[in-house]
Amino acid sequence: MSEELRPSEADEAVDEVRATDADAWATACAEDLAAEKARRRAEHGQPPGSAAEELRRLVDAVTDKLSSIQSPLLGAVAGPAAQQVVQQVVQQAKAAVEPVIERNPDVFDHLAAAGSELLAAYRSAVQAQEQRWTQRDTKPEEGGEGPGPGERIDLD
């Protein structure tokens, strides 16, 4: 007898090939996705994080900047004392902000979205008002000689 597979063995072999193909497809998709993310990161830089992460970065950047500033106006004697006060204030502010960020990270995302919506509404209102200001009445008024907002005065 030749090497023929029994029906149950044939089904198992087909299932194994299908599983291998599915894994290959998933692997190829994951590789393509990773390559696309790397390309976008290289082209556009790191994507922004959540609003809470951005607030943390802002606080850290302000802290670093304030710590590195040396005031020539205060002189050499008052300089270290002034820096100590600035660092203390910054640490207190950081201590107040960090717990709020940790407890409510989603709140900052909602506030950022609401701010964007308010900005869009304000922009729309301003554009509509500007259009009303810049539009002129192009129909000549009765007895008038052309368009204009003024009224005709008879000098006789």
Side-chain angles (χ1 to χ4, degrees), residues 30-49 57:
E31 290 172 356
D32 288 346
L33 181 61
E36 180 64 19
K37 284 182 178 180
R39 184 190 67 79
R40 288 187 182 191
R41 203 173 303 115
E43 187 176 321
H44 301 291
Q46 278 291 86
R57 287 184 195 156

Side-chain angles (χ1 to χ4, degrees), residues 55-117:
L55 182 60
R56 278 193 188 109
R57 287 184 195 156
L58 175 65
V59 169
D60 290 340
V62 169
T63 301
D64 292 343
K65 189 65 175 175
L66 288 176
S67 297
S68 67
I69 293 176
Q70 294 182 359
S71 177
L73 299 175
L74 298 175
V77 175
Q83 274 189 330
Q84 186 72 15
V85 170
V86 167
Q87 286 178 351
Q88 185 178 5
V89 169
V90 167
Q91 291 301 325
Q92 287 176 349
K94 221 175 173 181
V97 169
E98 281 295 323
V100 174
I101 293 172
E102 289 175 11
R103 281 193 307 257
N104 306 312
D106 294 339
V107 169
F108 294 100
D109 292 332
H110 292 295
L111 289 174
S116 297
E117 291 175 10

